[in-house]
Structure formats: structure tokens, C-alpha cells
Amino acid sequence: MNLKNDWKRILEKEFQESYFLNLMTFVNQEYKTKKCYPPKDLIFEAFNQCSFEEVKVVIIGQDPYHGFGQAHGLCFSVNDGVKMPPSLVNIFKELEKDLKIPIAISGNLERWAKQGVLLLNSILTVEEGNAGGHQNQGWEQFTDAVIDLIAQQKSSVVFLLWGNYAHQKGKKIDRKRHLVLEAGHPSPLSANRGLWFGNQHFSKTNIYLKENHLTTIDW
């Protein structure tokens, strides 16, 4: 699994489930016969960049970017030097509006992950040029299990759910135990309909973390 921290122990039982073994067979075959993203050694990079113990915030995406050189295992994030996709541009625009933080030069969000932000796609792999091509193969069940583990074993975590897909993924989260913030998806279609801008999720996250005696995120 190429996991380098406490997630390896926490997810050990999940890795032994029959659905997950079938999923890995599918993924291995896809990577052997097609161009897929992210690079195989970065499929679980969101977990390596943010250990279970360190998780304070969870952002849920759908599936990885399906263009060359974009996906590197963290939802919404792209590698340094890669042109920012429209959704990521809108995330930075809201961040600027909310906390007066200038729009970043790089779309690489590893700096967030290293502060305890789990950047989790619901589906961790994709075929080049085929958005959603790896749906319904088992990734959704796996990431549901990850969300459940966080929700049940930790407290005072902020879940940022952007768009209807993420809203569905977060339905079972205990709203008394955690802070769940919902908004439209940052994609231009949703943002231009007034469902994204002005949500103030970044400042609301830090207010909640501070109230619960946790270190805030330097967005």
C-alpha cells in the first residue's frame, strides 16, 4: 500500500476485505494496460502527507484530475508548475476573499496536508481523459470506511464538504462531535450560480479549531 505512518495499522483490516482485494486487482490491471493517474506510488499520498493522528480537517473531493501531470494524490491539488484547474482557482479566490490571503502561485496543497488537512478524493485513481472511469469498483466503500474511522475515533474534526457528491459522503458524520461545513462545489458552474463564494469555510474552520484548543491552519 506504500503507507508510511499510522494509517497502515488503522486501515489494516480494511485492506484484507474481499472488496478491497478485488479493487487492487482492478487497479493493477488498469495501470498495466492504460494511462492512469496519479502515479501508482502516489495513490495513497493523501494518507502519507497527513497521518491519522494529525488529522484536524478533512476536505473531500470526487476523483483525481485526469490530465497529464496534474494529479499527485491530494484532492484539488496539482504539482508545482502545473496550471491550476478552475476549481482550484476558485478555492484560492474564496481564500483571498475570506482571509485576505493573496492567491497562491502554486496549486500544490502539500502545505495544507502537512498541517493536518486530509485531502481525500472519494475515488483514488482515474484513467487519463476519462473522468469517473474508476467509479463503482470499490474506492467509494474504502473512503467511506476512512471517513467513518475518523468520525468515530477522533473528535472536533472539521469536515469541508463541497458539492452534492461530498455532501452525500458526509451524511453519517456526527454533527455534535465534529464541525461539518457544506457549500457548493468550487467549479465554475457551481461558483457562478452563487453556491461557492462567500462560504467563509477557511475562517470558520480556524475559529472552530481555536475554540477546541487545536492549532489553526495557515492556509
Side-chain angles (χ1 to χ4, degrees), residues 192-210:
N192 294 337
R193 288 164 51 207
L195 302 175
W196 168 254
F197 291 115
N199 63 61
Q200 299 181 319
H201 280 189
F202 303 103
S203 59
K204 289 175 180 176
T205 293
N206 278 348
I207 289 168
Y208 180 83
L209 292 175
K210 192 171 183 179

Side-chain angles (χ1 to χ4, degrees), residues 3 7-8 10-12 14-15 19-20 23 44 46-47 50-52 55 57-60 118-124 138-154 157 159 169-170 173 178:
L3 285 174
W7 281 111
K8 191 171 186 178
I10 288 161
L11 293 172
E12 185 177 11
E14 207 64 29
F15 292 150
Y19 87 87
F20 191 83
L23 170 63
F44 294 95
F47 301 96
C50 179
S51 70
F52 180 83
V55 172
V57 180
V58 180
I59 298 177
I60 299 174
L118 181 66
L119 295 159
L120 180 67
N121 275 315
S122 172
I123 302 156
L124 299 190
W139 279 130
E140 295 92 338
Q141 184 174 345
F142 172 71
T143 49
D144 278 347
V146 170
I147 293 165
D148 286 345
L149 281 166
I150 295 169
Q152 291 167 14
Q153 295 187 23
K154 297 181 73 75
V157 173
F159 290 86
K169 290 288 281 187
I173 299 166
H178 305 283

Side-chain angles (χ1 to χ4, degrees), residues 73-129:
L74 310 179
C75 75
F76 293 107
S77 180
V78 292
N79 282 304
D80 293 323
V82 175
K83 183 181 178 183
M84 284 189 245
S87 293
L88 185 54
V89 171
N90 284 338
I91 288 170
F92 284 136
K93 284 182 178 178
E94 174 58 25
L95 187 54
E96 182 181 45
K97 183 182 178 73
D98 185 13
L99 288 173
K100 306 298 184 286
I101 296 173
I103 292 176
I105 297 171
S106 171
N108 190 329
L109 302 181
E110 285 182 8
R111 61 190 182 277
W112 292 5
K114 288 179 167 134
Q115 297 177 74
V117 182
L118 181 66
L119 295 159
L120 180 67
N121 275 315
S122 172
I123 302 156
L124 299 190
T125 58
V126 69
E127 180 189 352
E128 184 175 48

